[in-house]
Amino acid sequence: MRRAARQWLLLLLLLAQAGAARAQDPPQQPFLRVEAAAHTAPVSRLATDASGRLLASVSDDKTLRLWDLPEGRLRGVLRPPIATEAEGELYAVALTPDGRRAFVAGWTGAAWDRAFAIYLFDTGFAGAGVPEAGGGRMLARLPGLPAPVQHLAVSADGTRLAAALGGRAGVRVWNAATGAPLWEDKDFAGPARMVAFAPAGAGGGMPAGAGGDAPGGGMLAATAADGRVRLYDPAGRRLADRAPVAGGRPFGLAWSQDGGLLAVGYEDRLLVEVLAAPDLRSVFRPDVAGLAGEGLPAVTWARDGRGGVQLHAAGYARRAAAARGLATPGAARADFVIRRWADYGLGGFADLPVARDAIAHLLALPQGGLAFASAEPGWGMLAPDGSLAIAPRPPGADFRATGAGLGVSADGTRLRIALRAGGPPLVFDALAGTLGAAEGDTGFAAARTTGRLVVTDWQNANRPRLGRTPLALGAGEFARSLALLPGDAGLVLGTDNHLRLFDAQGRPLASLAVPGTVWGLALAGEMAVGALGDGTLRWWRIAGGQIEEQAALFIHAATRRWVLWTPEGLFDHAPNGGQELVGLHLNGGRAQTPEWASFQQAYRALYAPAAVRARLAGDGAPARARLAQLGELRARVGRLPQLAAGGACAVVAEACLPLATEARLPEGATALRLRLTATDRGLGLGPLDVLVNDRIALRQDASGGAMEAEVPLDPGHNRIATRLYAEDRALFAEGPVLDLRRSGMAAAQPGRLVVLAIGINRYANPALNLAFAVPDAEAIAGTLRARAGGLFRAVQVTLLRDAAASRAGILEALASLARTTRPEDTFVLYLGGHGVRTEPDQRFLFLPHDAVDTSNWPALRRQGIEDSVLVAALARIRARDGLLLLDTCHAGQLTVDQLSALGNETGRFLLAASTSVQEALDSYNDRNGVFAHAVLEALGGRAAADAEGRVSALALGEWVMRRVPQLAAEKRHQQDAVFRSASRELRSFPLAVLPR
C-alpha cells in the first residue's frame, strides 16, 4: 500500500509538471453568483456522516452545502473552482464517516485540464457548536478523469472512495486516505450511474476469501445506462454482472441494512427491482400501480422508528390523477411523490407528495427516515413515520411556470412578473428601486413571437426552424423562449444555457452563456429581458449584432428582498435587505480554495445605486468612474484578512463552560466568549465586529494572531456572526458563525421604548447654525412618547439640545443607555444636525455642538463623531429592536451610499435624509423640516397600520421613503429618504399606536 501511495504521489507530481506548460489555471475574473442560503438550481446528490448529524448537498448551482440535522440549518457553503457554462456544476458528493471530509465532483476541472477531477474539502465538522479552523478549505484533488463524475461513495469504514463515471469510463476505486488508485472497471457500454458500498458488517453470502468477513463486507455495486448491474469484491473482481430488465436503464441503487438485498430503480420506466447479493438474482418487484411518470431513478430503504424497514422510490413519479392535470413542472402544489412500501417493500404502500419537481436522490438517514434531493430546487426530509419533516425551500422565483408571462415597459426599466405559479403579479421598477403589487398597472409588453418571421418547433425542442432554415443550437440544447426583434429584423432564442441572436435569414449573429434556463423573454427596443431558471431576471442590450449584459436582479421569494447588480459588480438592494444575496466568486489555482465575498462584505466599495440605474438607462459612465475609483477590486478581495475560530465558551456566573455538542447553551448562560485568530494578508487589519441575531454587539480593534471577544447573549436563540475589516474598512471578511439554542424558550417580556433625540440649532461656530434641528428632535421624541400606548412597559426619552449635544455629551448619553438597555427594549436614535462626507475616504461624520474648526479634514475628524465611533457606541446598546433616524444631510454632501453603509454595519433599521441641496432643513410648515414632517405624518396615522392600529418600523420607513421626495418637490427642492435594513430575516417591530 505504501508503494502504491508513493507511485500515486509521483504520478501526481509528473502530471502537474507535464501539465504546467499546456494547461491553464481556472479563469481569474470575478464571477457574480447568487447566494441565497439555499440552492438555486436542481440538487443532484446528498450524503451524510455516520451519525446523521451532517448533511451534504450538491447542485448545478456549483456549490456544496452543509446542513445541520435534524433542524436543516445551513452550516456552510463549499465552492469549487468554476468557469462559464457547465464548469463547476456538481453532480456527486460523499462524506467520510466522521463528517470531516467531503469528496465532491461533477463537471469539474475540464475547462482548464481537459480532464475531470474530484475535489477533497475539509468540512470543519467536529460535532460541536464551534466550526473547526480550516473548515471549507480544499485539501486535495484527484485529477485526470476521462469523464464527469456521476456519483461518489465512501465505504462504511472510510477507507475507500468509489466513483461512477460518465461516457463509457466505468467505475474507479481509490484509497480514501491517500488517493492511491486501487482498481477500475472500464468495460462499460454506457455511463455508470451510481455506486454503493455494502453496509458495515455485511457479508452478503460472499464466497470464502472474497472479503466477506472484512468490515463493511467489502462489496461494491454499480448501475449503468448500458442496462447492467455489477457487483464487485474488494479487489475489483466481478462477483455478478446482470441486466435484470431487457432494454431497461437501471439508475438508483441501495443496499438493505443487512447487506443481503439491493434495490434498483430505473430512469426510463416505473419499476423497482429487488435483487439478492451476491448473485443479483431477482427477488421481487414492489407494486407501482397508480403511478404516472417516466421513471423511478431514486431508491432507498429506511427505518421507520418502530423496528420496521420501509422501501422508498421516487424520481419523475406522480400520482396518476395529478399527472393527468399537470400542465408544467414547477406547479404550485407538490405533485411529485415518494412511494413508501411497508415491510421491506413487500407490504402495502403510500404515496407521499413532497416536491414540485423531479426527485433525483433518496438517502436513508442513520436515525431513521430519509432525505431527498429535488430539482425544485432544494432538498427535504421525511421523518421515520413518513411525515414530511422538511420541505424543499427554493429561495427565488420559479420562472418555469411564470416566465412566459414576463412583461416589460417601453423603456425596459419596469418589469411585470410573478414569482410562483398562482402568485400575485408584481412590478419591479429599477429606476425607483421599488418592488410592489401590480395594481392595475398597464404598459407592459410581453414577448412577440409571431410576425413576418415564422419560427416553428422551438418550444421545449432542440431543432427550431425559421421557415425552412434550422436555427443552430448546441448538442442537447433546448429552446425555451422566443422573441422577435423590432421590425422583424431577427430573433432571440432563450435556451437551457444560452441567449442566441439570429438575423432575419436565421444566421447566428451572437450568443451569450447564461447561468440558467431562459424560461421567459421580453423586448423593449434594444433591451431584452429574460427570466432565468436560477431565479434571476437579466437585462441585455442587443445592438450591432452583439449581446451585452446590462444588469441582473434576484428576488428572494419569501421575504421579497432583492438585489440588482451590473456585470461589474455594482449593486442596489431592497429597503429590507438583499445585499447578502449575491457575491463575488474568485478562483485561485486548480487545487486552491476559491475566495468569496458577498456584496454585504464589499458594501462600501460596491453599493452604488445611482451607477446601477444609469447603466440600465444606457449610461455606463458612472459605473466606469466608480470602478476606476475602486482600483483592482479582485486583488483586494483575494487579500482580505482571515478570521478563524479558536474555541468558544458560555459565561455562567463566574465560570466559562465549553459549548455543548449539540450547540446548546448551558442553563444560566449570559454571555459568549470567543477565541479567534486573525491573519493579515496584505490589506491591514481594521475593527473586529461580533453580531448577535444580526445586530452589532461588539466592535473592537483587531490585532494579528489570537484574540478574545465577549458578547452578551439574548434570551432564546442566538445567532453569532463575526466580521474582520481590512484596514481601510471598505471590505470585511466573514469569520465563524454559530447558531446557539437554549433549553426551552424564554417567555417574551414587555420592554421599554428608549429614545435618544439629538438636535443642534446653535453651534459653537455660528456659521453652522440651523433653524429646525431642535424643533424636529423635540417633535419626534414627543410624538413617540405620546403614541407609545400600551406597547411598552415604560418610555424613557433623553433629549440633547444645542450645547448639551457636545461630542462628549453625545457619547456619554449613548454609554449611559448601553448600561441600562436590555434585549427586550426598543431603541430609537434621532440625530438632527450637520452631517458631512469625509474626503477622500467618503465616510459619515456627524458634527456635534462643539465643532468649531471646519478648515480641514483632520480638524473635523477630531471634533466630529465618525461613523466607526458611532457604530462602536451603538454596538453596546443591547436592544433587540432598533431604529436610526438620521436627519443630517444639510451640507448637501451625503448620499444614499454613505448612509446605507451605516445601516449595513449596525444591522439596524436605518431611515435617513439624503439630499443634493444646502437647504434640506428649510421648514416645510414653519415648524419642522421635510424629513421630520414626513416622520410625524407617519406616526400620526398616514403610514400603514395593522388591525390594532400599530405602526411598525417597516411601515414608517416605507411611508417616509415615498413621502419625502413629494414634500421636497412642493418646496422646489430635491430630497430623498433612505430606508435600509441589513437583517438576514426581516422582523419588523411596532413603534406607535394610533389613537382610536
Side-chain angles (χ1 to χ4, degrees):
M1 183 63 70
R2 290 193 187 95
R3 188 173 76 173
R6 286 196 299 270
Q7 290 173 336
W8 175 245
L9 293 173
L10 178 60
L11 177 60
L12 288 178
L13 179 61
L14 293 174
L15 285 173
Q17 292 173 342
R22 70 172 187 272
Q24 56 188 7
D25 276 335
Q28 298 298 295
Q29 78 270 21
F31 291 92
L32 297 172
R33 307 289 296 176
V34 172
E35 177 44 63
H39 287 296
T40 58
V43 178
S44 303
R45 293 287 182 267
L46 305 170
T48 186
D49 69 313
S51 70
R53 287 163 48 199
L54 181 69
L55 183 76
S57 59
V58 292
S59 165
D60 290 359
D61 68 10
K62 307 184 182 183
T63 66
L64 185 163
R65 295 177 183 269
L66 301 172
W67 311 83
D68 285 320
L69 294 181
E71 297 89 352
R73 291 191 305 268
L74 181 65
R75 183 184 185 92
V77 184
L78 309 183
R79 304 176 191 276
I82 67 172
T84 56
E85 302 190 9
E87 179 59 54
E89 291 181 358
L90 301 178
Y91 311 145
V93 63
L95 293 175
T96 54
D98 61 7
R100 293 174 181 261
R101 302 289 183 265
F103 295 94
V104 62
W107 198 279
T108 44
W112 42 87
D113 280 345
R114 299 182 182 177
F116 297 87
I118 298 171
Y119 299 121
L120 174 63
F121 282 91
D122 180 344
T123 66
F125 177 73
V130 183
E132 282 191 327
R137 183 167 52 92
M138 187 190 296
L139 300 174
R141 63 195 289 265
L142 292 173
L145 302 178
V149 176
Q150 306 297 312
H151 191 237
L152 290 167
V154 171
S155 61
D157 60 4
T159 62
R160 283 160 294 150
L161 169 71
L165 303 177
R168 297 185 177 184
V171 298
R172 295 192 183 190
V173 178
W174 296 266
N175 182 304
T178 67
L182 298 179
W183 58 266
E184 64 179 332
D185 182 1
K186 296 189 288 187
D187 185 18
F188 279 63
R193 293 304 194 195
M194 293 190 74
V195 286
F197 285 101
M206 293 172 60
D213 295 329
M219 291 185 294
L220 178 75
T223 54
D226 62 8
R228 310 195 72 80
V229 180
R230 297 163 172 86
L231 190 62
Y232 304 91
D233 73 6
R237 293 186 296 268
R238 289 191 194 178
L239 298 172
D241 181 353
R242 183 166 174 255
V245 177
R249 296 201 302 270
F251 194 108
L253 185 63
W255 289 88
S256 62
Q257 279 77 3
D258 63 359
L261 298 173
L262 276 167
V264 176
Y266 284 76
E267 62 180 308
D268 61 340
R269 59 197 67 197
L270 293 169
L271 174 65
V272 175
E273 186 93 9
V274 177
L275 310 176
D279 56 4
L280 299 181
R281 70 183 184 279
S282 294
V283 178
F284 68 91
R285 294 178 178 178
D287 188 357
V288 295
L291 291 178
E294 295 80 8
L296 291 168
V299 292
T300 197
W301 272 286
R303 295 199 304 272
D304 64 6
R306 300 191 304 270
V309 174
Q310 318 292 331
L311 179 63
H312 301 75
Y316 313 112
R318 304 180 291 279
R319 291 169 296 184
R324 286 193 294 271
L326 191 67
T328 181
R333 62 189 185 275
D335 281 318
F336 288 81
V337 303
I338 297 174
R339 174 153 289 191
R340 184 176 192 251
W341 295 274
D343 192 18
Y344 275 86
L346 295 170
F349 62 80
D351 290 331
L352 313 174
V354 297
R356 296 182 298 175
D357 209 336
I359 296 167
H361 191 203
L362 299 179
L363 177 71
L365 298 174
Q367 63 269 35
L370 60 84
F372 61 91
S374 171
E376 191 164 338
W379 64 273
M381 190 166 74
L382 288 186
D385 64 0
S387 61
L388 185 62
I390 296 176
R393 293 171 284 198
D398 184 1
F399 291 128
R400 292 167 298 182
T402 67
L406 172 67
V408 62
S409 62
D411 65 355
T413 63
R414 298 175 70 238
L415 306 181
R416 191 176 192 274
I417 55 175
L419 303 182
R420 292 278 189 269
L426 302 174
V427 171
F428 178 77
D429 189 325
L431 299 187
T434 58
L435 174 69
E439 299 174 351
D441 287 294
T442 59
F444 293 96
R448 186 172 59 90
T449 59
T450 59
R452 182 174 57 85
L453 302 181
V454 179
V455 185
T456 58
D457 300 328
W458 63 269
Q459 289 182 299
N460 301 319
N462 63 352
R463 294 182 179 178
R465 305 175 71 86
L466 175 58
R468 296 183 178 182
T469 303
L471 299 174
L473 301 183
E477 182 181 4
F478 282 67
R480 306 294 185 181
S481 54
L482 166 70
L484 300 183
L485 296 179
D488 287 343
L491 62 100
V492 183
L493 272 181
T495 77
D496 295 327
N497 45 37
H498 282 84
L499 190 71
R500 296 190 180 274
L501 175 64
F502 299 87
D503 67 13
Q505 287 71 47
R507 292 186 294 257
L509 297 178
S511 66
L512 185 71
V514 294
T517 301
V518 186
W519 291 110
L521 271 176
L523 295 181
E526 293 184 345
M527 192 76 79
V529 183
L532 272 62
D534 66 348
T536 63
L537 293 138
R538 294 182 185 257
W539 285 259
W540 302 282
R541 190 166 300 281
I542 297 178
Q546 300 297 316
I547 304 172
E548 181 185 8
E549 184 168 338
Q550 302 296 301
L553 170 71
F554 181 82
I555 301 170
H556 190 270
T559 63
R560 295 191 184 175
R561 302 187 332 269
W562 55 261
V563 57
L564 174 70
W565 69 98
T566 71
E568 300 87 359
L570 304 179
F571 74 96
D572 189 13
H573 68 87
N576 58 327
Q579 56 268 49
E580 78 286 359
L581 293 172
V582 175
L584 290 81
H585 174 114
L586 303 173
N587 293 323
R590 329 176 159 67
Q592 290 181 311
T593 311
E595 303 277 353
W596 171 263
S598 70
F599 283 169
Q600 185 171 33
Q601 292 173 253
Y603 198 98
R604 287 188 180 270
L606 296 178
Y607 180 67
V612 173
R613 293 166 189 173
R615 184 82 145 82
L616 268 175
D619 181 8
R624 291 192 294 271
R626 181 63 174 265
L627 291 171
Q629 181 184 26
L630 288 176
E632 183 46 62
L633 183 65
R634 189 210 183 285
R636 295 172 67 197
V637 170
R639 292 188 289 131
L640 275 173
Q642 291 180 333
L643 189 61
C649 60
V651 177
V652 180
E654 301 300 320
C656 199
L657 306 178
L659 290 181
T661 301
E662 300 296 332
R664 290 190 177 276
L665 290 165
E667 192 74 28
T670 58
L672 184 72
R673 191 172 298 160
L674 292 166
R675 292 185 298 278
L676 302 162
T677 301
T679 304
D680 179 10
R681 295 200 295 165
L683 298 181
L685 299 179
L688 166 72
D689 287 354
V690 183
L691 288 84
V692 175
N693 293 327
D694 289 334
R695 72 178 188 276
I696 190 165
L698 174 72
R699 170 165 283 190
Q700 69 181 41
D701 292 335
S703 58
M707 296 183 295
E708 191 170 275
E710 184 172 314
V711 290
L713 294 168
D714 283 354
H717 170 256
N718 282 261
R719 183 182 187 274
I720 312 297
T722 54
R723 301 172 175 174
L724 179 59
Y725 283 83
E727 189 172 20
D728 66 359
R729 289 180 289 156
L731 303 162
F732 67 77
E734 291 185 328
V737 176
L738 289 79
D739 268 298
L740 305 176
R741 300 187 177 273
R742 297 182 188 269
S743 299
M745 294 299 295
Q749 299 293 326
R752 301 174 302 148
L753 174 64
V754 179
V755 180
L756 174 58
I758 298 167
I760 309 172
N761 277 355
R762 303 293 175 221
Y763 277 85
N765 180 348
L768 298 175
N769 285 352
L770 297 167
F772 296 99
V774 170
D776 287 349
E778 293 172 338
I780 288 175
T783 302
L784 284 169
R785 183 194 293 275
R787 294 282 187 265
L791 290 175
F792 306 101
R793 177 168 50 85
V795 180
Q796 175 185 335
V797 174
T798 303
L799 187 60
L800 300 183
R801 306 175 184 87
D802 294 335
S806 65
R807 187 179 193 277
I810 292 171
L811 294 179
E812 173 52 35
L814 287 167
S816 176
L817 293 178
R819 291 189 287 269
T820 60
T821 305
R822 308 300 302 163
E824 61 270 19
D825 294 337
T826 297
F827 173 67
V828 178
L829 172 66
Y830 174 83
L831 285 179
H834 278 296
V836 297
R837 181 185 68 201
T838 63
E839 298 294 347
D841 53 353
Q842 298 189 10
R843 308 193 75 83
F844 172 76
L845 184 70
F846 181 70
L847 299 186
H849 163 80
D850 48 346
V852 176
D853 184 359
T854 62
S855 62
N856 58 77
W857 287 117
L860 277 173
R861 285 191 175 92
R862 285 193 302 272
Q863 301 166 94
I865 300 176
E866 198 253 2
D867 57 14
S868 188
V869 175
L870 184 60
V871 169
L874 293 171
R876 293 188 286 271
I877 293 176
R878 293 188 59 196
R880 180 186 58 184
D881 298 328
L883 173 64
L884 310 181
L885 298 170
L886 305 184
D887 196 359
T888 59
C889 304
H890 323 317
Q893 294 175 317
L894 286 174
T895 66
V896 64
D897 303 34
Q898 292 88 40
L899 295 169
S900 294
L902 187 59
N904 182 66
E905 293 187 14
T906 62
R908 302 290 193 181
F909 280 101
L910 179 136
L911 182 57
S914 174
T915 181
S916 60
V917 295
Q918 180 83 20
E919 299 83 3
L921 263 193
D922 269 9
S923 169
Y924 177 77
N925 55 5
D926 295 325
R927 293 188 301 275
N928 298 110
V930 169
F931 178 79
H933 183 80
V935 172
L936 295 172
E937 279 186 341
L939 296 174
R942 300 293 296 276
D946 66 13
E948 299 178 18
R950 297 178 300 186
V951 177
S952 69
L954 182 60
L956 171 69
E958 290 175 342
W959 172 262
V960 173
M961 190 169 60
R962 290 196 307 269
R963 186 65 170 145
V964 163
Q966 299 170 357
L967 296 173
E970 293 177 18
K971 297 296 182 179
R972 298 185 179 180
H973 291 327
Q974 179 183 347
Q975 185 172 353
D976 296 312
V978 182
F979 179 53
R980 292 290 183 266
S981 170
S983 176
R984 289 174 184 264
E985 296 181 6
L986 180 67
R987 190 186 59 79
S988 191
F989 50 90
L991 282 170
V993 176
L994 301 179
R996 297 285 185 177

